[in-house]
Amino acid sequence: MYRWPVRSIVLAVASGLLLPFCFPKFDIGLLAWVALIPLHLALDSPSKWRAFRLGWLSGTIGFTGIMAWVVTAMHTYGKVPLLVAYAVLLLLTSYLGLFVALYSAGYVWFRSLIPRYGLFVAPCLWVTLELARTYLFSGLPWSLLGYSQYRQLDVIQIADHLGVYGVSFLLVLVNVAIAELIAWLMPLFRGFVPARLPWELVTTAAILLGLSWAYSTSLIVGEGFQTPKTSLRVGVVQPNVDQSIKWDPAHRDDTLLRYDRLTDTLGGGADLVVWPEAATPFFFEREPEYQLRVLAIANRASAPLLFGSPAVRFDNERRPYLLNSAYLVAPGGTLLGRYDKQHLVPFGEYIPLKSSLLFFLDKLVEGIGDFQAGPGPTVFSFMPRQAQAAGEGDGGRPVKFGVLICYEVIFPDLVRRFAQNGAEFLVTITNDAWFGESSAPMQHFSMVVFRSVENHLAFARAANTGVSGFIDPFGRILDTSPIFTQTAMQAAVPVLQPHTFYSRHGDVFAYGCVLICAVLCLFGLFRTEGPEPDAIAATPV
């Protein structure tokens, strides 16, 4: 392979170009099972450093296609000059591409450490790096490879044990196995060097894929599509308030009238009404006139109202700070609870290192000032009007649910803590207006599917400009709204408290992959070093 560097580059670029097609808007999820094959063929024999560069090239191209919406957010809504927006996009995708670069270098290294069997650890390395991406520098686990399968319900149910990382593991294993099989079938890739059939790798991939399909199918046929014993009518409102006027005081009345009208179209039959993140363009706790108008809407709906609104608090020195909050109010005006967003969006809700290194930057999202993180997960409870189910209702028992605000829903461990605290269904509220008509709103929505599967909890989602909708506890999308439309929709949301393995134990599988990679890395560091693969290949016979 070292004799044809151009071919290696073409193959690496091919994988980079294929990756965006696996996710919305293109949404060709089945492509993810083969998209990484060209990259793995390009990594057939280069040195670790050459593999790193090929992986970086492939990953940067792939993430540029996936994250192209960053330009829309920065230029259209953040008022950043277009060239600067593209430069920031490239900087971000180059950073994300480093994870693919590290994977590629590790792939070559592991194969050299344990010839023939080192590749079994390659999916563990991919998962390890996805886990690192989830937490490093505040975390950006956007469009992990497993998310490409959000529509493949007959495969992804393993997430209730392994999380989204388990699906990523399976995808990478299948890609590696097929790449090795192709390399064996086409000796040209290895310079006509005789090779053994990689039957162990192919067999393992086929068995694990079959087990995943069998488990997923048995679950959704046996439980997932049956009528739930208990459910609630949840209504979500999508007001489609333009981001450019959202915080303009002159449009407050029009905004509230829009919410009032859309809530009224739900017909008063909902057990819970949900408005999006930052629905009120004012401080709910500090604007008595507008507060009364919101409570009046809840009264007319005859149901608890959940909505987003900023809150002001003061530290020990009486300095004010802001919280991105969700309030739950009863029809009679009683405040049933407030949740403060824990995981804030860097450069959207606050500027990291603003007091020192990044003092010259401002937030990309226009509106009010910087926010601070809330204390932790809060589970709300309320008394439903009546359980809408095929059998008996739940009597007078209150129902518990958790709320995720915007970006928080892409963090698996954060969501599972709500399930661990007793939530029986989940709600996410967001304002995706600053994504524009890009692929991001549907990418954001697709990740919610996995949070449902991981915890076997239904989700209701209210987004200012869409996508709003409902997902059942096994990841089936019950209903969605078009983006940039005004609408109100409602659905029967199953109420469960299943306590899946994932909701109880979290990312045990992912950390197991980290441990396996750590052991192999230690083995590699302490063994006697040999020459790089290129040096071996170049040695005359």
Side-chain angles (χ1 to χ4, degrees):
M1 192 70 174
Y2 68 95
R3 299 186 182 91
W4 301 285
V6 172
R7 190 176 68 188
S8 298
I9 293 171
V10 169
L11 288 169
V13 168
S15 277
L17 293 175
L18 289 174
L19 279 173
F21 289 91
C22 304
F23 301 91
K25 291 184 176 180
F26 301 103
D27 226 359
I28 311 174
L30 292 177
L31 189 61
W33 297 96
V34 297
L36 295 176
I37 291 175
L39 174 62
H40 287 99
L41 291 174
L43 301 176
D44 190 65
S45 64
S47 67
K48 294 190 290 292
W49 174 235
R50 183 176 294 177
F52 181 91
R53 287 179 291 177
L54 288 171
W56 199 358
L57 174 65
S58 184
T60 300
I61 292 172
F63 281 112
T64 299
I66 293 167
M67 308 286 289
W69 51 265
V70 169
V71 173
T72 302
M74 296 184 67
H75 177 63
T76 305
Y77 298 100
K79 309 303 180 186
V80 173
L82 187 60
L83 288 178
V84 176
Y86 276 110
V88 173
L89 171 65
L90 185 59
L91 183 64
L92 173 63
T93 56
S94 296
Y95 160 71
L96 294 173
L98 282 174
F99 291 93
V100 183
L102 290 170
Y103 167 79
S104 300
Y107 176 89
V108 170
W109 188 36
F110 288 175
R111 186 178 57 202
S112 68
L113 289 176
I114 309 176
R116 190 169 178 85
Y117 297 104
L119 296 186
F120 282 87
V121 187
C124 294
L125 179 59
W126 186 279
V127 168
T128 296
L129 292 166
E130 285 196 338
L131 188 67
R133 183 149 67 92
T134 301
Y135 295 103
L136 194 63
F137 304 128
S138 170
L140 185 58
W142 191 277
S143 292
L144 302 179
L145 187 62
Y147 288 132
S148 64
Q149 304 304 299
Y150 76 100
R151 293 189 182 275
Q152 308 303 319
L153 300 186
D154 55 352
V155 174
I156 66 172
Q157 302 305 317
I158 59 172
D160 66 2
H161 283 73
L162 311 181
V164 64
Y165 306 108
V167 180
S168 294
F169 178 97
L170 192 59
L171 285 164
V172 173
L173 179 62
V174 170
N175 274 273
V176 171
I178 296 176
E180 285 296 293
L181 185 60
I182 290 173
W184 176 77
L185 291 171
M186 301 176 64
L188 176 65
F189 282 104
R190 286 181 173 149
F192 297 99
V193 176
R196 290 172 54 196
L197 173 67
W199 65 269
E200 304 99 323
L201 193 61
V202 173
T203 302
T204 301
I207 289 173
L208 291 182
L209 182 60
L211 289 174
S212 175
W213 177 83
Y215 175 76
S216 298
T217 303
S218 66
L219 205 61
I220 59 178
V221 170
E223 301 179 45
F225 295 159
Q226 292 182 2
T227 304
K229 294 180 179 179
T230 306
S231 63
L232 303 173
R233 296 297 299 182
V234 177
V236 298
V237 172
Q238 179 177 301
N240 192 32
V241 177
D242 192 288
Q243 189 67 23
S244 63
I245 65 171
K246 185 174 179 63
W247 297 105
D248 187 344
H251 293 274
R252 284 182 177 180
D253 291 335
D254 290 340
T255 297
L256 278 180
L257 285 172
R258 185 178 299 188
Y259 276 111
D260 193 0
R261 175 176 55 81
L262 290 170
T263 303
D264 188 58
T265 63
L266 294 172
D271 292 293
L272 175 68
V273 176
V274 183
W275 293 356
E277 174 191 18
T280 65
F282 52 84
F283 293 89
F284 174 73
E285 296 176 339
R286 295 175 177 271
E287 300 274 0
E289 177 187 350
Y290 289 102
Q291 182 182 108
L292 290 173
R293 292 178 63 176
V294 171
L295 296 177
I297 296 173
N299 274 328
R300 287 195 292 276
S302 301
L305 173 63
L306 177 73
F307 61 92
S309 181
V312 179
R313 292 294 180 269
F314 297 88
D315 61 21
N316 294 333
E317 298 178 4
R318 301 301 298 166
R319 290 177 299 192
Y321 63 91
L322 296 171
L323 298 167
N324 187 347
S325 301
Y327 293 84
L328 181 66
V329 295
T334 304
L335 179 63
L336 298 178
R338 190 190 85 242
Y339 166 68
D340 303 318
K341 187 176 182 181
Q342 307 169 65
H343 201 121
L344 303 177
V345 182
F347 306 102
E349 291 171 312
Y350 76 102
I351 302 295
L353 305 175
K354 186 176 183 179
S355 61
S356 55
L357 185 62
L358 301 179
F359 59 88
F360 56 92
L361 290 180
D362 201 359
K363 293 192 308 172
L364 299 180
V365 180
E366 296 179 333
I368 51 181
D370 286 358
F371 290 85
Q372 289 192 20
T378 300
V379 174
F380 295 136
S381 66
F382 70 99
M383 194 68 70
R385 182 197 308 270
Q386 181 182 1
Q388 302 294 318
E392 288 289 323
D394 245 7
R397 185 179 68 83
V399 174
K400 298 179 179 180
F401 72 99
V403 180
L404 290 307
I405 300 177
C406 187
Y407 187 64
E408 292 183 315
V409 81
I410 74 173
F411 292 91
D413 188 69
L414 188 154
V415 176
R416 81 166 186 91
R417 280 184 264 155
F418 288 89
Q420 203 174 32
N421 288 351
E424 297 169 279
F425 71 97
L426 296 168
V427 174
T428 178
I429 58 176
T430 187
N431 176 26
D432 285 354
W434 58 287
F435 288 149
E437 295 192 22
S438 67
S439 59
M442 196 59 206
Q443 288 177 3
H444 199 185
F445 183 86
S446 69
M447 291 181 260
V448 185
V449 170
F450 273 83
R451 304 295 86 84
S452 289
V453 175
E454 287 162 351
N455 302 287
H456 285 180
L457 292 176
F459 255 97
R461 187 177 197 258
N464 174 26
T465 54
V467 178
S468 301
F470 303 92
I471 301 168
D472 83 354
F474 295 84
R476 180 174 56 166
I477 298 172
L478 302 176
D479 199 3
T480 59
S481 66
I483 61 173
F484 292 101
T485 58
Q486 295 182 36
T487 187
M489 51 201 302
Q490 59 181 309
V493 172
V495 175
L496 301 169
Q497 199 170 11
H499 297 298
T500 64
F501 179 90
Y502 185 84
S503 64
R504 291 195 306 270
H505 303 291
D507 295 312
V508 172
F509 171 77
Y511 283 106
C513 289
V514 173
L515 181 60
I516 291 171
C517 290
V519 169
L520 192 54
C521 286
L522 288 173
F523 168 74
L525 291 173
F526 288 103
R527 76 170 187 137
T528 303
E529 287 291 337
E532 286 284 292
D534 279 0
I536 296 173
T539 303
V541 178

